[in-house]
Amino acid sequence: MRLHRLTISAFGPFGAPQEIDFDALSSAGLFLLHGPTGAGKTSVLDAVCFALYGAVPGARQSPGTVLRSDHAPAGTTTEVTLELTVGDRRLEITRSPAQLRPKKRGGGFTTEKAQSTLRAYDPETGTWKGLSRSHQEIGEEITQLLGMSRDQFCQVVLLPQGDFARFLRADAEARGKLLGRLFDTRRFAAVEDRLAELRRAAEHEVREGDERLLALAHRMAQAAGTGGTPPQQRPGEPGLAEAVQTAAALARTDAREAHDIARLRLAAAERRQTAARTALDAERELADRQARHADALRRQDDLAARRPQRDAWQTALDRSLKADRVAPALGLREHAERTHRTANAARDRARAVLPPDLAEAGAEHLSTVERRLREELGGLESARRAERRSAEIAAERAALDREARADEEFLQDAAAWLADWEPHRAGLQRRVEDAQEATARAEQLAGRLEPARRRLAAAHRRDALAAELGAARTRLTEARERRNEAHEFWLDVKSRRLQGIAAELAAALEPGAPCQVCGSASHPHPARTTADHVDRAAEDAAYAAYTDADESRTAAETSVAATAEAWEAARQETSAVRGPGEDGPDADGAGEPTVDELSRVVDELAREHAGAHALAAQTHAAREALARAEREYEERVGAQREAETRVAARTSRREALEQQHAALEEELARSRGEAGSVAAHATLLERRIALLTEAAETVRAAEAAARGLKEADDRLADAAFKAGFDTPAEAAAALLDERERRGYQQRVDAWQAEAAAVADRLREAATAAAATLPPADPAAAEAEHAAAARALRDADTALAAVRERADALDGLSRQVDAEVRRLGPLREEYERVARLAGLTAGTSAENERKMRLESYVLAARLEQVAAAATARLQRMSSGRYTLVHSDARSGGRRAGLGLHVVDAWTGNERDTATLSGGETFFASLALALGLADVVTDEAGGVRLDTLFIDEGFGSLDDQTLDEVLDVLDSLRERDRSVGIVSHVGDLRRRIPAQLEVVKARHGSAVRLRTGGEALSG
């Protein structure tokens, strides 16, 4: 991968468009990227990363990051274009982030979406061909061509020296995280997790099987009774299955012996019960025959006493048969009389509730009035629907009121939370910024002691200019105060004029002429001029005073800028020998250290570095807290917008309901009449109609019942005469209902049946013979039979219990055998999986170094990186140092990711944390270059022809700096170009090809220098 050209517009600190020709810089092989702090050196690297991956490096891609330059005019688009060669393809990538732009119509701004374009150069036609405009497609294409993710690219192309200095001193866990991210060893960690999961699952299944075996053993002991004892082994112990099977066999043998004994006892009890039953049946039969004979004699005497009563029942039955011919006529007459009484009573009740004028009306007149009321009721149906709709609207309005109260409470809570958002967010952002600044500060503290001693000579001239600058700034402060006072006065005058603008417009009104504002020709109440009203001239005078004060402020700012530029030139000379990472003083020079202060710098460096390192360690936690707070903020803002949308929709709905309700009330007022509601009016009409309908029907029914009663009387007199009765009353008295007749007949039949049964009983020979024998004694025979039956039940119950116990033990034994057979393969599988899981997790005795699988793979990668880094480290250190990988254990920690340095002067191997500041720099640089080679090979051999190295050169002495530059210059042998990002002034003399970033008031700019020639960007 080789960079050719980078174009930046309105990006970061660059307000105006800038173009960087990397071909011109790369022709020398080694070029320098320098500029003052905050000018935008890192933003150049951010632009390269943004063009390739659509995002800046991870350390600066925090939530809320704004890529657009604050110096850019409103109409300038933020855009980055990168031209590069990957493999044999020349590509051009153009990206612009989401940003605000002025609306084409009207005022205000609108959000323009992020855009991306990928083009390829066609050498045959000499033109660019568009490939894609999709963010996702371009991202996948670039990642596939480079073979690296954004994190890998930032690690091996934009070589961050601070990261590798920490990598040298880090423990195995920290090294594992970085290497795992670069080489993507997640699949090996997934293998470890999968094997551990399989081991847990197999162990769980084996333990469950043992627990089931023990449960079966306990159930068998319970089934066997007092003689059973379960095994004493626990789940997982050897021999558990054999012990359970042995206990099952013993329990089955005991159960079979008990079953044979119980069966013999049952057979003896059955024989005794059979003999007792035979004797009992004989005694019961004799006692029954003797009782039958005595009962027959008693019943014969009772029949003779009841014969007169039987004759009376027969006479009543004969008279009722003749009366049956009169019964239909009697029933018709009774029905007609009941109908007549019922109809008259219903007619009287119905007429009692009618108005007096209808109390004696006939059926036809009542029907006529009913039809007239029904016609009136039919006309109220539309009003009923309107009344129901009115009630529905009232209910819907009540529901809207409840929803409105709920949304109002929610909006109040959201507003209270959002009111504290900005201070809270600013505090979290300050935490992130402080931690980031501490990170850079900790990396730069090592090289500040010697530059501080060379700053004293240049400080005298700076202090003289600082005093002059302070006076100029005092004048600027006074000019700003005057400008602000004039601005506030002008705004006050303008506000008062706007408040009285209606009076100025009213002064121009003429009767009959249209108004300039509303267009009406009628002016009933024109506005009047108040006492504090100001006119246009006063407003113009206030504005002129404000512009004069603003020009004075501008002149004061120009003076301050000129003085500050002169002071900056002196300070730059003072800072030219300053160490990396040192910050400049305040405007008055108070922040610049004195000679006495410089003598204390060395003692303070260790304490400052420790504090900065501790604060830098909080970077991740601060970012996480800021990210969580911003997610909560987005959620609350979204919920607030939804609630506001519901409030607006509810207002429109309420207005529509109120309009509809007013129209319905107007219609209902006409339809209610004197009643309270349409429903009440309709109910009154329905009641009147029902009363009239009922009255007409009862009148007709009463007339029909009178006619039916007269006809029934005539039929009854004729039927009684024909049946042989003198009067209908006599026939009615002889008539029996079905129940009485059935009762008389049953009594007669029962007397006759009893007489026949008694005669048959007395004629039985066996019964007569039994009466001559001694009295029977069935009680004694029954007692013997009961004792035999109890003995039989006890024997049967005992046999059933023994049989049930034996069956249960047989079933449990079969379950034990099946469970033992099933557990065999599971136990073998568990032993095999547990061995593999322990081996990959580093807990097995077979894994002597206790090294996890992922650590083993990373150790191999680290060994490759150490070998590649050593080739350059030996040149940088004049053959003194060599980086070696170590898989030795440290304390109780696992082995695999150790990194040591071998000192050729002493022959000893020591930890990389013992290197000095300068040694740490070139060791981390060698490690970074070695890692770039290994990652490049891992990515498929993609050539990385352009590299950037960020800071750290200030900690090197002149000889070491020459050796490091020789190593970097040797990269040209592989046709590479290396860009060094540094403040070190000596590098400007050693490296002729330079890209300078110049900081200015209206935005930064770039200047390209090649061999002493400067080209403005």
Side-chain angles (χ1 to χ4, degrees), residues 543-716:
Y543 180 76
Y546 159 67
T547 55
D548 292 340
D550 189 64
E551 291 175 357
S552 299
R553 177 188 59 81
T554 303
E557 288 179 347
T558 303
S559 176
V560 169
T563 306
E565 184 177 359
W567 176 84
E568 179 67 16
R571 194 182 68 83
Q572 287 289 346
E573 185 176 355
T574 304
S575 303
V577 293
R578 189 188 310 172
E582 288 192 24
D583 296 332
D586 294 337
D588 57 1
E592 293 290 338
T594 64
V595 175
D596 294 336
E597 293 172 340
L598 287 173
S599 64
R600 295 190 296 270
V601 167
V602 175
D603 298 334
E604 295 176 357
L605 281 177
R607 184 178 66 259
E608 292 179 3
H609 182 270
H613 186 271
L615 184 57
Q618 302 176 8
T619 302
H620 179 72
R623 288 175 179 166
E624 288 294 326
L626 179 59
R628 287 194 301 271
E630 290 184 340
R631 286 195 297 271
E632 183 178 3
Y633 170 76
E634 293 296 334
E635 293 173 357
R636 287 182 177 269
V637 169
Q640 185 185 41
R641 290 173 180 168
E642 293 177 358
E644 291 173 349
T645 302
R646 291 196 301 271
V647 169
R650 191 181 300 110
T651 301
S652 301
R653 179 58 180 166
R654 183 188 297 277
E655 292 176 355
L657 290 175
E658 289 177 352
Q659 294 176 359
Q660 188 176 3
H661 185 265
L664 291 174
E665 285 299 322
E666 182 179 355
E667 178 182 352
L668 291 174
R670 295 191 301 267
S671 302
R672 287 176 182 144
E674 298 178 357
S677 64
V678 174
H681 190 191
T683 302
L684 181 60
L685 290 177
E686 291 172 350
R687 182 181 178 187
R688 290 176 180 175
I689 291 172
L691 292 176
L692 291 172
T693 302
E694 182 181 2
E697 291 176 353
T698 55
V699 169
R700 295 190 185 94
E703 294 174 353
R707 291 192 298 269
L709 179 60
K710 184 178 182 305
E711 293 176 358
D713 287 336
D714 295 341
R715 292 179 181 179
L716 177 59

Side-chain angles (χ1 to χ4, degrees), residues 29-49:
L30 195 64
F31 62 91
L32 177 66
L33 176 59
H34 69 94
T37 301
K41 301 185 296 298
T42 305
S43 296
V44 174
L45 307 184
D46 290 346
V48 173
C49 184

Side-chain angles (χ1 to χ4, degrees), residues 237-547:
E237 293 184 3
L240 176 62
E242 292 78 3
V244 173
Q245 287 180 319
T246 301
L250 292 176
R252 288 198 306 271
T253 301
D254 295 340
R256 292 193 183 98
E257 292 177 357
H259 180 267
D260 294 340
I261 294 172
R263 189 171 54 189
L264 294 175
R265 290 177 179 174
L266 178 63
E270 287 177 346
R271 290 192 297 272
R272 178 186 174 187
Q273 194 268 348
T274 301
R277 182 66 193 179
T278 301
L280 177 61
D281 291 343
E283 287 297 318
R284 284 179 176 175
E285 184 176 0
L286 177 60
D288 182 63
R289 288 177 178 176
Q290 290 175 349
R292 285 166 60 88
H293 185 268
D295 182 65
L297 295 176
R298 179 186 56 78
R299 289 163 62 188
Q300 186 178 37
D301 296 338
D302 183 65
L303 287 172
R306 291 189 293 117
R307 179 176 293 277
Q309 190 177 13
R310 176 258 180 197
D311 295 338
W313 292 338
Q314 186 63 49
T315 302
L317 285 173
D318 294 338
R319 284 181 58 81
S320 68
L321 291 177
K322 293 193 301 180
D324 284 345
R325 289 176 290 178
V326 188
L330 284 171
L332 289 175
R333 204 274 176 187
E334 290 177 359
H335 176 70
E337 185 177 6
R338 286 194 304 270
T339 302
H340 183 261
R341 287 197 304 269
T342 302
N344 287 341
R347 179 196 61 195
D348 295 340
R349 287 195 301 271
R351 284 180 170 178
V353 296
L354 292 178
D357 57 336
L358 297 177
E360 299 299 330
E364 294 300 327
H365 181 64
L366 292 175
S367 298
T368 302
V369 176
E370 175 197 352
R371 286 192 296 273
R372 185 172 68 250
L373 292 179
R374 287 187 182 278
E375 292 174 358
E376 183 179 354
L377 178 62
L380 293 179
E381 185 60 30
S382 175
R384 283 183 172 181
R385 290 194 298 269
E387 189 170 49
R388 287 194 297 271
R389 179 56 184 159
S390 178
E392 293 172 356
I393 291 174
E396 189 171 353
R397 290 170 64 186
L400 290 177
D401 291 339
R402 291 192 298 271
E403 294 174 359
R405 287 192 296 271
D407 283 341
E408 183 178 357
E409 292 175 358
F410 172 78
L411 289 174
Q412 290 176 354
D413 294 341
W417 189 91
L418 292 175
D420 298 331
W421 162 245
E422 285 302 331
H424 180 57
R425 179 185 179 279
L428 295 175
Q429 186 65 38
R430 281 195 299 272
R431 282 183 59 194
V432 175
E433 294 172 354
D434 292 344
Q436 291 175 343
E437 292 176 0
T439 302
R441 182 70 173 170
E443 297 172 1
Q444 298 172 1
L445 285 173
R448 291 182 55 188
L449 179 60
E450 187 61 27
R453 295 173 178 170
R454 298 197 295 267
R455 292 169 57 190
L456 182 59
H460 296 290
R461 188 168 59 259
R462 176 206 62 198
D463 294 339
L465 288 172
E468 183 179 350
L469 179 59
R473 286 184 170 172
T474 301
R475 293 191 296 272
L476 174 59
T477 301
E478 295 173 353
R480 285 176 174 171
E481 292 177 354
R482 289 193 298 272
R483 181 259 182 195
N484 292 337
E485 292 173 355
H487 185 251
E488 292 177 358
F489 178 73
W490 170 58
L491 292 179
D492 179 67
V493 171
K494 184 176 181 181
S495 175
R496 284 189 290 160
R497 182 169 181 265
L498 289 175
Q499 292 175 358
I501 197 68
E504 290 187 22
L505 294 174
L509 293 176
E510 295 180 4
C515 176
Q516 300 178 16
V517 179
C518 65
S520 173
S522 176
H523 318 301
H525 302 291
R528 304 300 181 187
T529 303
T530 59
D532 60 344
H533 177 66
V534 295
D535 55 9
R536 178 63 178 272
E539 180 185 357
D540 293 341
Y543 180 76
Y546 159 67
T547 55

